[in-house]
Amino acid sequence: MTRDIGPQTGPVLELGPGTGPFTRALLSRGVREDDLTLIESDPDFAALLMRRFPAARIVEMDAVGLRHLSLFPGPVVGAAVSGLPFRLISPRKTLAILEGVFANLRPGAALYQFTLGRRCPFDQSLLDRLDLEVTRVGHTFRNFPPATVYRVTRVKTLGTYDWRFA
């Protein structure tokens, strides 16, 4: 989940950290604690995260709010990590969350999505609407049900010619 992320990544946004297993993994990979912004909607988990990771920036809110809230002065985040259960989240909310995440990611940065099962949690129509592409980057069968990690990035275009509109 975190193997592509390290100290060179810079600021990292984590959605739904819960008790912080991915947060600890990010720290063990060399990400500075003060480079972490954790978005957690549950007040009890947010309080726990504040105690466990005092130098991290913890924002107690629903990730849908990212669409309307500027956390940073522009797109500066080097990576986003999410364990949110997108299969249980409505398409409208998923769209809002992805728009918010990618508004904060700098060019070339990615969202790493952990999901249970082998199927991508994002519908292709939603990805097309946001000009995003998905690559499966990891999985484990030791988990039940099996877990998969996807990297979500912006579609790379040539800049002068967009084949989708030709």
Side-chain angles (χ1 to χ4, degrees):
M1 177 71 170
T2 61
R3 74 172 162 223
D4 293 343
I5 303 171
Q8 75 288 351
T9 305
V12 176
L13 180 65
E14 185 177 355
L15 307 178
T19 59
F22 294 141
T23 310
R24 283 190 293 281
L26 290 166
L27 292 171
S28 72
R29 300 220 31 97
V31 175
R32 294 180 352 185
E33 188 172 323
D34 60 347
D35 273 343
L36 294 172
T37 298
L38 313 176
I39 308 296
E40 178 56 60
S41 64
D42 183 281
D44 294 331
F45 284 150
L48 176 70
L49 292 166
M50 286 180 200
R51 288 192 303 275
R52 287 186 176 171
F53 310 106
R57 181 178 177 195
I58 288 102
V59 182
E60 186 181 326
M61 64 178 256
D62 188 320
V64 172
L66 285 173
R67 183 182 197 182
H68 304 291
L69 180 68
S70 294
L71 292 174
F72 304 95
V76 298
V77 176
V81 175
S82 169
L84 293 178
F86 279 105
R87 288 200 189 112
L88 303 175
I89 299 173
S90 74
R92 175 182 256 175
K93 284 187 174 187
T94 298
L95 173 69
I97 292 168
L98 290 176
E99 284 179 336
V101 167
F102 280 90
N104 287 289
L105 289 179
R106 66 179 174 241
L111 163 66
Y112 294 87
Q113 176 63 42
F114 172 85
T115 189
L116 296 176
R118 298 183 54 152
R119 192 171 58 93
C120 180
F122 306 115
D123 289 334
Q124 188 61 49
S125 61
L126 178 68
L127 296 169
D128 290 343
R129 180 174 178 181
L130 296 173
D131 288 332
L132 300 175
E133 60 187 356
V134 174
T135 306
R136 184 174 165 200
V137 294
H139 65 277
T140 180
F141 295 110
R142 290 181 288 175
N143 198 56
F144 183 78
T148 307
V149 177
Y150 292 94
R151 181 177 51 233
V152 184
T153 56
R154 290 181 182 92
V155 171
K156 293 173 182 62
T157 60
L158 296 176
T160 57
Y161 178 76
D162 192 346
W163 60 270
R164 293 169 293 159
F165 301 107

